[in-house]
């Protein structure tokens, strides 16, 4: 299954699949809810079946990696049938993570009756191509801190992971724009506007960003102008290099593009569709000069000059009828922000489509922490299932990268021992202060794998504000346990194998919510999971 569609024909089978996945998670609840840092304190090893422990303690790290893989290329031992069944279930109840060829998504949109719209939107002029030509593409996607598939004009200020994400999501949003007939994208939780510039300059879409942090808006506006200048310079160089190239369309495209409009506003779970549209239409924003109030009551240095609704002259920039056909997107919108985006989309007729990539599942509100409009569960179907609850620990685990850790197991770097270091430190800290509250201090020790446990522990105790002296007998006991570091890695691997199942449960709940509102949706793995672990985009259009 390359991607998931939840519609009238598939919803019942997906609900059955989801119920089975929840029942499977419930079988291993003690593992799912176990932090590896408490491995020794809470004796997590005893939570595994004896037959598993007998074989896991003998496995090398490369063999453990097979527990996180569909194939079994490295395991040189015969695993118990129950462990093989566990692995099979973790694969069966997890959504496929391999990125989908977006041409197949385009064909799916066409097959769903959007052919005319798709064809009419194919020849939109863009200032500069997003991707380098095939002849220039490297066999390595990331090199020297750059995502080489992306045109260098769009890479500035962005790390390779983000470069990959905005390139791929931008393509998907462009397809969604064509399928829904909407040309105005609202990017919620936009940060410094990296995605908005891809949509503006790479896909010729009108973009409004909404970001809670006020410091990001001014920086995003500066980056917008920098990119506009960079692209103009690029086109001038292109003209000089070859006068046979007709750049008329490109120059017209860059001249006619409006820079993104950046709105500073906190979107809350109780935000209504009316409130949201008012934010887009009239909240304080920073945008290109053409959209600013030009009344004589104040000048460019006046903060009121950068308001869409001028307090002094009451001049208001209205959104046109075409603008009101909005698309909503959020790239790794944190915690409850993604569920909020989906609710606003479902409840607002003016929003024609949504493409949402979630993250930080542990920050979502639940029925235990809030009364209504919680982050999980969203759907009535899931909320009525027994054992549907997911703890903070389970949701936090769902954010971890299975693909990256599988490679670490294959490489067997020295820092794999740090799982054990951290678990031993937990035992030591609680011995010194039984009522110690963890999490209040972020514990970062550089190059910890290059120092022995005793040195590591003393540095950590000092950072935590505790006496760094360690009783010799206690130290001797802890160092004896250090020889079991592979057991800690094995337990973490077993737990991590369940992470995609938990994520699947969360993502399908969101699809069920949309279906309960009469909206079909798609769950599409759009990113390379080795670069971007949270790689599913939830897509829908009306």
């Amino acid at each position: 299954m390359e991607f998931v569609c939840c519609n009238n024909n598939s919803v019942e089978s997906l609900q059955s699949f989801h119920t089975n996945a929840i029942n499977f998670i419930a079988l291993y609840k003690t593992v799912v809810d176990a932090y590896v840092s408490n491995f020794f304190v809470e004796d997590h090893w005893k939570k595994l079946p004896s037959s598993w422990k007998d074989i896991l303690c003998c496995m090398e790290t490369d063999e453990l990696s097979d527990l996180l893989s569909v194939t079994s290329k490295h395991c040189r031992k015969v695993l118990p049938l129950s462990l093989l069944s566990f692995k099979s279930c973790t694969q069966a109840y997890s959504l496929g993570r391999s990125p989908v060829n977006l041409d197949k998504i385009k064909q799916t949109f066409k097959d769903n009756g959007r052919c005319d719209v798709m064809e009419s939107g194919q020849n939109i002029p863009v200032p500069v191509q997003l991707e380098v030509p095939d002849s220039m593409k490297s066999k390595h996607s990331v090199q020297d801190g750059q995502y080489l598939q992306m045109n260098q004009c769009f890479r500035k200020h962005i790390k390779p992971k983000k470069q990959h994400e905005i390139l791929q999501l931008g393509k998907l949003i462009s397809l969604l724009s064509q399928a829904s007939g909407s040309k105005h994208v609202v990017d919620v939780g936009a940060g410094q506007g990296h995605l908005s510039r891809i949509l503006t300059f790479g896909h010729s879409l009108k973009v409004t960003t909404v970001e809670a942090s006020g410091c990001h808006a001014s920086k995003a506006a500066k980056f917008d102008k920098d990119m506009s200048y960079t692209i103009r310079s690029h086109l001038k160089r292109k003209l000089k290099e070859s006068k046979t190239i007709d750049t008329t369309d490109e120059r017209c495209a860059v001249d006619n593009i409006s820079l993104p409009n950046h709105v500073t506003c906190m979107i809350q779970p109780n935000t209504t569709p009316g409130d949201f549209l008012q934010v887009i239409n009239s909240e304080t924003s920073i945008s290109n000069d053409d959209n600013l109030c030009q009344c004589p009551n104040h000048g460019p240095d006046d903060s009121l000059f950068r308001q869409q609704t001028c307090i002094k002259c009451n001049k208001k920039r209205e959104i046109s009828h075409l603008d009101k056909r909005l698309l909503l997107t959020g790239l790794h919108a944190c915690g409850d922000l993604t569920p909020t985006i989906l609710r606003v989309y479902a409840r607002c007729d003016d929003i024609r489509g949504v493409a949402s990539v979630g993250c930080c599942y542990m920050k979502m509100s639940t029925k235990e922490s809030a009364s209504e409009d919680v982050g999980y569960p969203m759907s009535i179907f899931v909320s009525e299932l027994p054992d549907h609850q997911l703890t903070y620990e389970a949701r936090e685990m769902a954010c971890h990268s299975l693909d990256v850790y599988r490679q670490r197991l294959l490489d067997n770097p020295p820092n794999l021992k740090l799982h054990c270091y951290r678990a031993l430190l937990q035992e030591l800290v609680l011995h010194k202060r039984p009522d110690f509250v963890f999490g209040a201090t972020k514990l970062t020790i550089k190059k910890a794998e290059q120092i022995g446990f005793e040195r590591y522990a003393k540095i950590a105790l000092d950072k935590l504000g505790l006496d760094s002296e360690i009783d010799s007998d206690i130290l001797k006991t802890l160092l004896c346990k250090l020889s079991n570091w592979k057991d800690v890695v094995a337990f973490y691997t077993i737990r991590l194998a369940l992470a995609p199942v938990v994520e699947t449960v969360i993502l399908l709940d969101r699809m069920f919510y949309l279906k309960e509102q009469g909206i079909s949706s798609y769950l599409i793995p759009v990113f390379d999971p080795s670069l971007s672990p949270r790689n599913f985009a939830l897509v829908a259009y009306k």
Side-chain angles (χ1 to χ4, degrees):
M1 187 187 302
E2 292 182 297
F3 62 92
V4 178
C5 176
C6 183
N7 56 25
N8 290 336
N9 297 325
S10 64
V11 64
E12 288 187 6
S13 63
L14 286 175
Q15 287 174 341
S16 176
F17 173 88
H18 184 278
T19 302
N20 290 337
I22 281 184
N23 292 338
F24 175 66
I25 292 171
L27 291 175
Y28 297 96
K29 180 174 175 57
T30 56
V31 176
V32 169
D33 294 344
Y35 277 136
V36 175
S37 57
N38 288 323
F39 182 84
F40 297 111
V41 173
E42 298 180 2
D43 197 4
H44 289 336
W45 193 240
K46 73 177 181 182
K47 297 174 181 178
L48 300 181
S50 297
S51 61
W52 293 19
K53 290 186 287 187
D54 291 343
I55 195 70
L56 289 172
C57 68
C58 302
M59 293 174 70
E60 298 298 323
T61 60
D62 65 322
E63 294 179 287
L64 289 173
S65 72
D66 278 358
L67 295 173
L68 305 179
S69 174
V70 176
T71 60
S72 297
K73 296 180 180 179
H74 304 94
C75 190
R76 298 173 290 279
K77 297 177 178 63
V78 178
L79 301 183
L81 286 177
S82 59
L83 183 54
L84 289 172
S85 296
F86 169 84
K87 175 186 172 179
S88 178
C89 287
T90 60
Q91 302 289 337
Y93 294 126
S94 300
L95 298 175
R97 307 183 68 81
S98 298
V100 171
N101 185 330
L102 292 182
D103 286 340
K104 294 184 178 181
I105 303 302
K106 181 176 181 178
Q107 187 60 49
T108 299
F109 287 169
K110 283 186 176 183
D111 293 344
N112 287 342
R114 299 289 177 156
C115 183
D116 294 340
V117 177
M118 296 292 290
E119 295 298 332
S120 67
Q122 285 181 342
N123 298 316
I124 301 172
V126 295
V128 64
Q129 294 301 311
L130 284 166
E131 293 186 87
V132 298
D134 290 340
S135 60
M136 296 175 60
K137 288 185 178 179
S138 167
K139 63 180 180 179
H140 303 291
S141 60
V142 177
Q143 186 173 308
D144 298 327
Q146 297 294 314
Y147 182 67
L148 300 181
Q149 314 302 315
M150 177 181 277
N151 190 310
Q152 63 181 358
C153 291
F154 297 96
R155 297 184 202 160
K156 193 173 182 181
H157 310 296
I158 315 174
K159 294 181 179 180
K161 174 178 177 290
K162 180 71 76 173
Q163 292 171 7
H164 170 68
E165 291 167 351
I166 61 177
L167 177 64
Q168 295 304 112
L169 186 58
K171 293 178 188 177
L172 182 60
I173 292 171
S174 179
L175 292 177
L176 184 60
S177 168
Q178 295 171 42
S180 63
S182 307
K183 305 300 178 188
H184 185 175
V185 181
V186 180
D187 182 8
V188 181
Q192 296 177 2
H194 300 308
L195 175 61
S196 70
R197 282 181 288 280
I198 288 288
L199 298 174
T200 297
F201 295 104
H203 297 285
S204 295
L205 295 171
K206 177 180 175 60
V207 184
T208 298
T209 73
V210 181
E211 169 58 42
S213 177
C215 65
H216 287 325
S218 57
K219 190 171 290 186
K222 178 182 182 301
F223 289 166
D224 294 344
K225 293 177 181 178
D226 289 347
M227 181 167 286
S228 179
Y229 176 81
T230 298
I231 290 176
R232 288 175 187 276
S233 299
H234 169 83
L235 294 177
K236 287 180 181 179
R237 286 196 303 270
K238 192 174 178 181
L239 274 173
K240 289 181 180 179
E241 290 170 1
S242 177
K243 293 186 178 180
T244 62
I245 296 176
D246 182 7
T247 59
T248 303
D249 288 343
E250 290 177 330
R251 284 186 282 114
C252 287
V254 75
D255 288 340
N256 293 331
I257 282 180
S258 296
L259 297 182
N261 185 44
H262 302 289
V263 175
T264 299
C265 182
M266 175 75 78
I267 303 298
Q268 303 284 4
N270 60 356
T271 298
T272 66
D275 292 339
F276 184 79
L277 292 178
Q278 187 175 7
V279 165
I280 302 307
N281 191 31
S282 61
E283 277 291 327
T284 302
S285 64
I286 296 179
S287 62
N288 57 325
D289 290 344
D290 291 340
N291 290 334
L292 299 176
C293 176
Q294 301 293 334
C295 81
N297 293 331
H298 46 80
D301 294 332
D302 192 331
S303 62
L304 296 176
F305 182 70
R306 292 194 174 274
Q307 291 188 350
Q308 286 180 305
T309 301
C310 172
I311 296 175
K312 292 184 179 179
C313 68
N314 203 32
K315 180 180 178 181
K316 184 175 181 179
R317 184 175 67 86
E318 294 290 347
I319 295 179
S320 69
H321 176 71
L322 182 62
D323 286 339
K324 288 185 178 180
R325 301 177 69 181
L326 303 173
L327 288 181
L328 209 51
T329 191
L331 174 53
H332 290 148
C334 185
D336 279 344
L337 186 53
T338 293
T340 298
I341 288 172
L342 297 177
R343 286 191 172 98
V344 170
Y345 161 68
R347 296 167 180 171
C348 184
D349 293 337
D350 287 335
I351 303 175
R352 306 299 296 274
V354 66
S356 174
V357 183
C359 76
C360 302
Y361 303 128
M362 66 284 192
K363 295 183 179 180
M364 295 187 301
S365 59
T366 62
K367 288 290 185 182
E368 291 74 30
S369 61
S371 58
E372 57 184 50
D373 281 355
V374 296
Y376 175 86
M378 291 186 69
S379 68
I380 296 173
F381 171 79
V382 174
S383 67
E384 293 178 347
L385 289 176
D387 298 322
H388 73 269
Q389 299 89 349
L390 295 174
T391 62
Y392 179 95
E393 291 84 356
R395 289 178 279 121
E396 190 267 344
M397 180 189 68
C399 295
H400 290 197
S401 174
L402 181 146
D403 301 271
V404 171
Y405 195 73
R406 180 172 60 231
Q407 188 59 50
R408 284 184 64 193
L409 290 172
L410 290 171
D411 296 340
N412 191 18
N415 62 13
L416 281 177
K417 287 187 178 181
L418 294 183
H419 288 304
C420 191
Y421 275 26
R422 183 64 185 84
L424 291 172
L425 176 65
Q426 194 94 337
E427 184 173 352
L428 178 59
V429 169
L430 292 176
H431 176 80
K432 284 180 169 289
R433 185 181 297 176
D435 61 345
F436 188 84
V437 178
F438 291 93
T441 302
K442 187 175 181 180
L443 191 60
T444 303
I445 300 177
K446 294 182 179 180
K447 299 181 179 179
E449 69 277 6
Q450 298 179 11
I451 60 177
F453 173 72
E454 182 178 2
R455 178 64 180 153
Y456 167 89
K458 288 185 176 182
I459 294 173
L461 290 171
D462 186 62
K463 285 179 174 285
L464 295 172
L466 300 174
D467 178 15
S468 61
E469 290 300 314
I470 306 173
D471 181 85
S472 59
D473 290 337
I474 294 174
L475 179 61
K476 183 178 179 180
T477 300
L478 295 176
L479 291 176
C480 286
K481 292 182 178 181
L482 184 58
S483 62
N484 297 325
W485 69 270
K486 286 185 180 179
D487 293 351
V488 184
V489 172
F491 182 84
Y492 182 78
T493 303
I494 291 292
R495 183 172 186 261
L496 189 60
L498 291 158
V501 184
V502 176
E503 183 177 31
T504 294
V505 164
I506 293 170
L507 294 177
L508 289 180
D509 168 59
R510 295 172 178 179
M511 298 188 89
F512 298 154
Y513 165 77
L514 290 177
K515 192 67 195 74
E516 289 169 358
Q517 314 309 309
I519 301 170
S520 299
S521 61
Y522 303 88
L523 201 52
I524 304 169
V526 68
F527 308 140
D528 179 345
S530 65
L531 287 175
S532 181
R534 309 280 65 73
N535 73 329
F536 288 100
L538 181 54
V539 176
Y541 56 83
K542 300 170 183 174

